[in-house]
């Protein structure tokens, strides 16, 4: 990984913060983020000559809607964690506390209310604050029936040492397991561009003396298809003095140099002691 640059994001709006899901435009000119307080953040960037965001030139906050068309309200309903968009702009948003997956066919800007996607029954047994941190789009753009991978942050009761994943192929769900080491917990995942379906997984840890630590791993599409317990390949791990915070959100796009560019965003937990960072890396061959 090669660090390309980043931004410290801030706002006087009291709603700003808590971003756990990120979706960057294909051309890098803007991004959507979703907050665990129940709103969308839209950013449009002023890009440097090399294509890295130099500043946010336009930003807006918009409320998340529920299937009834009303604005989501209350902590149990608004805790959005994962975000993915497809080529048409349609969006999938995963939630914890009240664990569910909503499909927004018109995307963040659409006026149509979302649809709730049926999920496996054991997802309801996830801890309230350890639910569906990530949704990954795997298949072709076939709307709400797309192939998906869902990744939880915490183990199911009685399954210490592994975070559960659920793979949906052709409408059928299959259980997989992500091995947990130390206090690292998954916070987001994304499919790398290309046909091999390799997945990047972001994990986060907090240490009282050392602060935040972050880990990035990769798992092959073949391993996901095989099922069972995954064996990830660790790509990077970092902590202080490198730029860091509660990094929870991730996306990837092909940069102007033809290489995958990785975007990481932190959740400030609405705390004055934390920051909302947007960090950009080039994934080297």
């Amino acid at each position: 990984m090669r660090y390309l640059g980043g931004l410290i994001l801030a706002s006087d709006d009291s709603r700003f913060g808590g971003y756990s899901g990120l979706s960057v435009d294909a051309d890098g000119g803007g991004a959507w983020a979703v907050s665990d307080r129940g709103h969308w953040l839209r950013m449009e960037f002023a890009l440097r000559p090399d294509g890295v965001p130099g500043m946010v030139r336009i930003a807006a906050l918009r409320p998340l809607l529920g299937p009834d068309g009303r604005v989501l309200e209350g902590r149990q309903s608004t805790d959005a964690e994962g975000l993915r968009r497809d080529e048409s702009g349609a969006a999938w948003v995963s939630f914890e506390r009240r664990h569910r997956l909503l499909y927004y066919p018109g995307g963040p800007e659409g006026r149509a209310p979302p649809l709730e996607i049926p999920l496996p029954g054991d997802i309801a047994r996830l801890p309230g604050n350890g639910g569906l941190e990530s949704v990954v789009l795997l298949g072709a753009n076939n709307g709400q029936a797309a192939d998906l991978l869902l990744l939880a942050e915490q183990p199911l009761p009685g399954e210490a040492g592994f975070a559960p994943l659920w793979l949906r192929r052709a409408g059928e769900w299959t259980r997989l397991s992500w091995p947990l080491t130390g206090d690292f917990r998954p916070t987001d995942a994304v499919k790398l561009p290309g046909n091999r379906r390799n997945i990047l997984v972001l994990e986060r840890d907090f240490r009282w003396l050392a602060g935040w630590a972050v880990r990035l791993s990769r798992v092959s599409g073949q391993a996901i298809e095989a099922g069972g317990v995954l064996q990830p390949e660790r790509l990077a791990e970092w902590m202080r003095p490198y730029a860091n915070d509660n990094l929870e959100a991730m996306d990837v796009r092909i940069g102007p140099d033809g290489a995958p560019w990785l975007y990481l965003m932190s959740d400030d937990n609405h705390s004055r002691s934390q920051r909302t960072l947007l960090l950009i890396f080039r994934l080297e061959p």
Side-chain angles (χ1 to χ4, degrees), residues 7-13 16-17 19 41 43 56 59 268 274-277:
L7 299 172
I8 302 171
L9 306 175
S11 172
D12 292 331
D13 192 310
F16 179 86
Y19 299 108
L41 167 66
M43 298 177 288
V56 178
D268 67 353
Q274 293 180 242
R275 300 180 295 175
T276 300
L277 301 178

Side-chain angles (χ1 to χ4, degrees), residues 56-282:
V56 178
R57 62 181 184 88
I58 298 175
L61 303 181
R62 300 176 181 176
L64 275 167
L65 301 180
D68 60 0
R70 298 179 179 179
V71 174
L72 292 178
E73 296 180 341
R75 187 61 169 158
Q76 293 294 323
S77 294
T78 60
D79 200 348
E81 295 291 332
L83 167 63
R84 284 292 163 257
R85 287 186 300 155
D86 65 14
E87 296 89 344
S88 72
W92 285 257
V93 179
S94 62
F95 294 78
E96 61 181 13
R97 299 188 190 275
R98 187 173 154 232
H99 309 297
R100 65 201 189 282
L101 178 66
L102 296 184
Y103 170 67
Y104 292 79
E109 296 180 289
R111 296 183 179 274
L115 305 172
E116 186 164 346
I117 303 298
L119 298 177
D122 51 355
I123 287 179
R125 299 194 298 118
L126 286 168
N129 195 28
L132 299 176
E133 286 284 329
S134 178
V135 53
V136 183
L137 298 180
L138 296 175
N141 181 15
N142 55 350
Q144 61 177 315
D147 293 345
L148 301 172
L149 183 69
L150 302 177
L151 176 58
E153 179 182 7
Q154 298 288 353
L156 287 164
E159 297 184 11
F162 299 93
L165 301 89
W166 290 268
L167 172 67
R168 186 177 76 173
R169 294 293 310 276
E172 298 293 328
W173 291 98
T174 304
R175 266 286 309 276
L176 301 90
S177 296
W178 180 267
L180 300 174
T181 57
D183 292 324
F184 279 96
R185 294 295 181 268
T187 62
D188 210 348
V190 65
K191 186 177 81 71
L192 277 167
N195 297 322
R196 299 185 62 188
R197 293 191 175 185
N198 288 342
I199 304 298
L200 293 180
V201 176
L202 184 69
E203 296 179 277
R204 175 242 9 237
D205 182 18
F206 178 75
R207 306 166 188 180
W208 285 108
L209 296 180
W212 299 100
V214 185
R215 175 184 294 170
L216 185 69
S217 301
R218 176 175 59 196
V219 63
S220 71
Q222 292 90 334
I224 292 172
E225 297 291 345
V229 178
L230 301 178
Q231 300 296 326
E233 172 192 6
R234 189 177 306 170
L235 301 182
E237 185 176 317
W238 69 96
M239 59 187 71
R240 291 175 182 169
Y242 296 104
N244 206 349
D245 208 290
N246 179 29
L247 292 170
E248 283 204 18
M250 174 171 62
D251 200 10
V252 64
R253 75 175 185 98
I254 297 298
D257 58 1
W261 283 21
L262 183 70
Y263 292 69
L264 303 179
M265 191 172 184
S266 63
D267 175 354
D268 67 353
N269 289 314
H270 294 272
S271 169
R272 293 184 178 181
S273 64
Q274 293 180 242
R275 300 180 295 175
T276 300
L277 301 178
L278 180 66
L279 308 178
I280 300 95
F281 298 86
R282 182 184 191 269

